[in-house]
Amino acid sequence: MKKGHRFILLSTGLLLLLAGGAGYSYMRSHGFSARATPNPIEVFLAQQVRRLVVPYGVKELRNPVQRSELSLAEARDHFADHCAVCHANDGSGRTPLAAGLYPPVPDMRTGYTQELSDGELFYIIKEGIRFSGMPGWGGDDEENWKLVHFIRHLPRLTKEEIGFMQEINALEIAEEE
Amino acid sequence: MRGIVYFLSTALLLAVTGTANAHDEKLHRGKAIEGEVLSMSSDGFELKTEDDSLAVVVTDKTKFERGNSIISLADVTEGMKVKIFGTKLPGGKLAAKEVLLFSGSSDAKNEETHSGSVHERDQ
């Protein structure tokens, strides 16, 4: 092996070792709590990975379900029943359960989620996000597409709609008791 | 041999209980709204509840039942007592998923049977 190549190889190995050691030391001193706030690098990497894990062709999928008052209302009730426990009725992610999740639950009303395509949202609902708290729900495709409409509607959710969702929340609690 | 018998018995039991009921369990999710049919309209009917009245919208997916029989919107008339599972729409309307009809003493018995099975499923 040439001297220069050996130097590069050794330097890279040493750097990786130092980085690994620093990382290990950091974890041992700070812990690995799910309640920590991700640093900007981690956030950036997570966002890029989230886009990369969506298979070819999914991003371009268009919502085949017609948006209507009824389909939105059905998705609203579905969201209140299955999703609000982590995402909150308004999609803010401000729930007791979400406070302890890592990666953090996003505020779905903002660009971070709203900039995803319909296909990406559909895929995340159906397949989940590995190594996160987002489960892959599977389920009926039509219901999932209706949820995509509802997620798009979140920034414009009305007080009346939140009231309807709270009725569903209360029903869920009553059934559990 | 015993395992096969147990498996077949279980499968048969599940098949029988699954087909013995005319209802889709998912439709009974949620709280039912009870009331009396005030008037019929082009897309459903007006319902008088204990507190108020509301417009009930019927869609092509709405199911109508009386006891364990499947019926249709044509069987709904003014004065009938109904129990509705549905989705609330903005503005106060209710999109009906399932409309359970009962009127008169003969239907009251069917209603008890239905209500009992609904109650069991909701649990």
Side-chain angles (χ1 to χ4, degrees):
Chain A
M1 189 186 287
K2 285 186 181 175
K3 206 174 182 180
H5 290 168
R6 200 188 307 167
F7 175 76
I8 291 169
L9 202 64
L10 280 171
S11 306
T12 308
L14 190 64
L15 277 169
L16 285 172
L17 204 63
L18 283 170
Y24 176 77
S25 175
Y26 179 86
M27 276 198 297
R28 287 305 303 254
S29 60
H30 289 78
F32 214 47
S33 171
R35 294 168 60 190
T37 303
N39 60 58
I41 297 170
E42 204 172 343
V43 170
F44 173 77
L45 286 173
Q47 286 174 346
Q48 301 314 306
V49 167
R50 191 179 67 165
R51 294 207 102 117
L52 286 173
V53 298
V54 175
Y56 288 122
V58 167
K59 187 178 177 179
E60 291 74 28
L61 288 176
R62 290 191 174 186
N63 198 331
V65 173
Q66 181 87 10
R67 182 191 158 114
S68 67
E69 192 178 55
L70 179 58
S71 66
L72 211 54
E74 288 175 339
R76 176 203 71 214
D77 286 358
H78 185 137
F79 192 91
D81 197 10
H82 291 90
C83 315
V85 64
C86 288
H87 289 288
N89 286 331
D90 61 2
S92 64
R94 288 196 297 265
T95 66
L97 188 61
L101 285 175
Y102 197 97
V105 177
D107 183 341
M108 294 201 292
R109 302 168 297 182
T110 66
Y112 179 64
T113 297
Q114 294 297 323
E115 282 168 7
L116 293 172
S117 71
D118 284 358
E120 285 173 314
L121 287 175
F122 172 82
Y123 184 84
I124 289 169
I125 292 167
K126 183 161 184 173
E127 304 296 336
I129 300 175
R130 202 179 282 193
F131 306 125
S132 77
M134 178 62 195
W137 290 101
D140 183 69
D141 280 1
E142 188 178 332
E143 295 301 310
N144 293 333
W145 281 117
K146 285 179 187 176
L147 281 170
V148 173
H149 279 309
F150 182 73
I151 289 169
R152 295 282 183 229
H153 178 68
L154 279 171
R156 295 179 299 281
L157 206 62
T158 65
K159 283 183 182 175
E160 183 187 37
E161 288 172 306
I162 291 177
F164 292 153
M165 296 175 85
Q166 286 169 341
E167 289 177 21
I168 300 290
N169 299 154
L171 193 68
E172 185 74 14
I173 292 166
E175 286 179 351
E176 283 170 5
E177 282 172 356
Chain B
M1 181 63 190
R2 196 183 293 177
I4 294 170
V5 171
Y6 282 149
F7 173 76
L8 287 173
S9 304
T10 307
L12 186 64
L13 185 66
L14 287 172
V16 166
T17 55
T19 55
N21 203 312
H23 315 292
D24 182 345
E25 188 174 325
K26 283 188 296 184
L27 293 176
H28 288 297
R29 190 97 177 113
K31 191 179 173 186
I33 294 176
E34 293 186 29
E36 182 182 317
V37 177
L38 272 179
S39 61
M40 304 302 293
S41 64
S42 56
D43 59 353
F45 52 88
E46 191 76 12
L47 183 77
K48 182 178 179 303
T49 64
E50 203 174 71
D51 306 314
D52 205 348
S53 66
L54 77 152
V56 177
V57 175
V58 168
T59 71
D60 53 359
K61 291 181 181 175
T62 305
K63 289 189 180 178
F64 295 85
E65 296 176 23
R66 175 186 275 144
N68 282 323
S69 304
I70 303 290
I71 52 177
S72 68
L73 177 61
D75 295 295
V76 178
T77 55
E78 291 176 16
M80 274 187 163
K81 299 257 191 299
V82 297
K83 185 188 278 191
I84 304 173
F85 292 89
T87 303
K88 288 187 179 179
L89 299 176
K93 289 185 180 180
L94 180 72
K97 289 181 185 172
E98 191 168 15
V99 179
L100 313 178
L101 274 66
F102 47 96
S103 61
S105 56
S106 59
D107 287 316
K109 190 176 178 185
N110 283 337
E111 179 211 339
E112 282 177 18
T113 307
H114 182 93
S115 295
S117 62
V118 167
H119 179 68
E120 282 165 13
R121 274 198 302 283
D122 283 349
Q123 288 179 339

